[in-house]
């Protein structure tokens, strides 16, 4: 459940301590923040932050705690000050670097040369220009005395450095930077994951290779042969491919696709001087990763060359399964099993995915594909799920699972699908498991038809309570199952459960009265508000008191929270909600108070920082250029979990009855329903801990 992320982004926790004899603060990263934004906020450089937090180079996650140096820019100026004064003549002034300023702009402002500025500030050669730096500005027309010595020393240090850094200036692109340093765009993004979606001005890039040719030409000891070799390396590193212009594409859209400016694109393709025309074949930089194409049928997983398997291993290393943890579904308390390929398992299995691409409808529609993808939410959900499923299939290749995967267009609407035609063509009868269709009635119809063949049908996205069909597996827990899980947890902890529910939540009141015996309701006043005295009288001093609050009324929320904070002085209290509550996301409700009460709620998904989860998210970003959505992660989890169950030497049905599993976001704990069919009761009980992070209750 991620509905508190917006509120969480407004909160940060800062404490001071001593670190390496420098004053630093601890800063908690908010959702969506980048190193560059944090550096500007604290008036330090990204390099200063990376020096204290080397793991941050691989990307930032919300709630990560960073050490921020508070005097980095001052100390840098102090270190370089004396040396600078000895290299310049005339009267010098100082200048503090502002956000988005460039060397060219500063040099133009003061009427000085690039050589004079770098001679007065030697650290610019190594560190580049950073926001907050204090520069010494030499007198106009002054001549640096030690340019040669400084340049020679800098050249030597650059050659010995493992990394070279580059500060992004206005109008630079990934293509121009990659070409300058003799690397590919893909390599640049792998080293700097934060620039996948954008390239912010002033951001410090980590470059793999030697110093850029422009800097080398300013040094005294650079040999012509070395410069020539660098140019040849650059030419060799940037590769190109042919690309045919699609309808309605423009300079702007092509530039965004290939990370290149219109000027650079025209330089590669002089014919573009007359404009972009549909069908033109353009020379464009290779190395960008295009979205995976829609396919009707996926080839068998193991029919790959050794080379492609090695590549898959690189792309999916570490994804294969999460570590064992204890289950949080208290009613059954099963162990979460780590599924691996069973030794000796060589019988090939077949998995079928039925995804609603609706290709025939798209081909007959006059709307462009780009417009449809932009406006069609159902298609976006399908493509996200598909992208996650492809990651799972890639992982299966890595593990060399004996599975053939076929993907068919189910051509779904709410009322019908193409499944009957696929069955008539004998496409599904030999499957060991089928994932899909998406709509509940279509999944039930498919399960009914395939029941004769004893083929399990996994409904991947529906939250509905399914009709009783023996071979149908609901992979998302129903709302009642989710609610039951948190009540089971509270009872297992011998908790005293008190409900604060306003009169408008009649369905919640009926649910608790009918299904959760022993829960007491706090009284309401005649005007519908909370009777605080009555609530406090229901709390017990020698037990954990779980207060289930269900109301959208801001005043009642505030009153309840205040009463519970007061009650904490004499007894243990924890605040609980059963479903997302947008009222808690408003500025009127103090997030600090929710933390003090350790707000708890049930969720079908979790937020984990386990190694396997982080690797999946990173590899998905590298492959798709965006963070995985809920549907993308679900596509991975359902597909990968199904494939792993099929290689246990048992049928899918047998593993569903015996094994509880856990993937990136989702837990799969299937059970047989009394009226027939199977449902999932894999629910997480989450709470906000004092360190502002979400944790799984145990």
């Amino acid at each position: 459940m991620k509905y508190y992320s917006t509120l969480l982004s407004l909160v940060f926790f800062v404490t001071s301590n001593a670190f390496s004899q420098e004053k630093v603060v601890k800063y908690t990263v908010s959702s969506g923040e980048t190193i560059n934004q944090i550096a500007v906020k604290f008036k330090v450089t990204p390099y200063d932050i990376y020096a204290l937090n080397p793991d941050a180079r691989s990307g930032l996650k919300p709630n990560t705690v960073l050490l921020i140096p508070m005097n980095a820019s001052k100390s840098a100026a102090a270190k370089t000050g004396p040396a600078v004064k000895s290299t310049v003549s005339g009267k010098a002034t100082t200048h503090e670097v502002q956000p988005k300023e460039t060397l060219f702009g500063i040099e133009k402002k003061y009427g000085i040369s690039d050589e004079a500025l770098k001679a007065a500030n030697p650290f610019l050669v190594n560190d580049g220009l950073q926001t907050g730096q204090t520069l010494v500005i030499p007198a106009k027309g002054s001549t640096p005395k030690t340019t040669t010595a400084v340049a020679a020393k800098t050249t030597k240090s650059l050659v010995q450095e493992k990394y070279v850094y580059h500060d992004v200036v206005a109008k630079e692109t990934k293509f121009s930077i990659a070409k300058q340093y003799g690397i590919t765009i893909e390599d640049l993004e792998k080293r700097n994951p934060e620039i996948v979606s954008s390239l912010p001005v002033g951001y410090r890039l980590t470059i793999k290779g030697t110093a850029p040719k422009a800097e080398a030409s300013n040094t005294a000891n650079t040999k012509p042969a070395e410069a020539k070799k660098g140019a040849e390396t650059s030419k060799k590193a940037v590769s190109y491919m042919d690309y045919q212009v699609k309808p309605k594409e423009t300079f702007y859209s092509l530039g965004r696709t290939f990370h290149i400016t219109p000027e650079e694109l025209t330089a590669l393709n002089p014919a573009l001087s007359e404009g972009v025309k549909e069908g033109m074949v353009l020379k464009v930089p290779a190395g960008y990763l295009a979205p995976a194409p829609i396919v009707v049928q996926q080839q068998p997983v193991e029919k790959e060359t050794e080379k492609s398997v090695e590549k898959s291993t690189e792309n999916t290393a570490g994804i294969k399964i999460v570590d064992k943890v204890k289950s949080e579904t208290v009613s059954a308390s099963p162990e979460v099993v780590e599924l691996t390929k069973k030794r000796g398992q060589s019988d090939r299995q077949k998995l079928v995915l039925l995804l609603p691409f609706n290709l025939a409808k798209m081909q007959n529609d006059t709307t462009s594909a780009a417009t449809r993808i932009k406006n069609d939410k159902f298609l976006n959900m399908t493509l996200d799920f598909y992208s996650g499923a492809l990651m799972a299939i890639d992982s299966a290749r890595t593990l060399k699972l004996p599975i053939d995967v076929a993907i068919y267009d189910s051509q779904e609407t709410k009322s019908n699908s193409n499944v009957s035609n696929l069955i008539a063509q004998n496409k599904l009868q030999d499957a060991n498991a089928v994932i899909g269709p998406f709509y509940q009635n279509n999944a039930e119809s498919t399960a009914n038809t395939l029941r004769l063949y004893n083929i399990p049908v996994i409904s991947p996205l529906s939250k509905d309570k399914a009709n009783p069909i023996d071979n149908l597996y609901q992979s998302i827990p129903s709302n009642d199952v989710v609610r039951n899980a948190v009540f089971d947890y509270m009872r297992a902890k011998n908790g005293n459960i008190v409900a604060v529910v306003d009169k408008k939540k009649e369905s919640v009141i009926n649910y608790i009265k009918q299904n959760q015996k022993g829960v007491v309701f706090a009284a309401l006043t005649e005007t519908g508000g909370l009777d605080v005295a009555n609530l406090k009288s229901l709390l017990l001093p020698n037990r954990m008191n779980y207060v289930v609050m269900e109301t959208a009324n801001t005043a009642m929320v505030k009153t309840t929270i205040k009463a519970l904070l007061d009650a904490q002085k004499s007894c243990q209290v924890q605040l609980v909600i059963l479903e997302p509550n947008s009222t808690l996301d408003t500025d009127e409700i103090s997030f600090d108070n929710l933390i003090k009460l350790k707000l708890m709620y049930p969720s079908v998904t979790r937020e984990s920082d386990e190694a396997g989860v982080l690797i999946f998210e990173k590899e998905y970003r590298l492959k798709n250029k965006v963070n995985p959505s809920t549907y993308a992660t679900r596509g991975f989890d359902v597909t990968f979990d199904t494939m792993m169950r099929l290689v246990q030497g048992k049928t899918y049905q047998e593993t569903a009855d015996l094994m509880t599993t856990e993937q990136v976001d989702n837990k799969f704990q299937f059970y047989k329903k009394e009226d027939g069919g199977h449902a999932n009761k894999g629910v997480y009980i989450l709470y906000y801990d004092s360190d502002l992070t979400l944790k799984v209750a145990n």
Side-chain angles (χ1 to χ4, degrees), residues 196 289-292 387-388 391 619-626:
V196 170
L289 195 55
S387 67
M391 294 287 289
E619 295 300 332
Y620 187 93
R621 283 194 298 268
L622 289 173
K623 188 170 185 178
N624 298 283
K625 308 307 181 190
V626 294

Side-chain angles (χ1 to χ4, degrees), residues 273-290:
S273 58
E274 299 178 2
V276 178
K277 299 177 182 178
E278 180 183 345
M280 294 178 71
V281 177
L282 303 178
K283 178 182 179 183
V284 296
Y288 89 105
L289 195 55

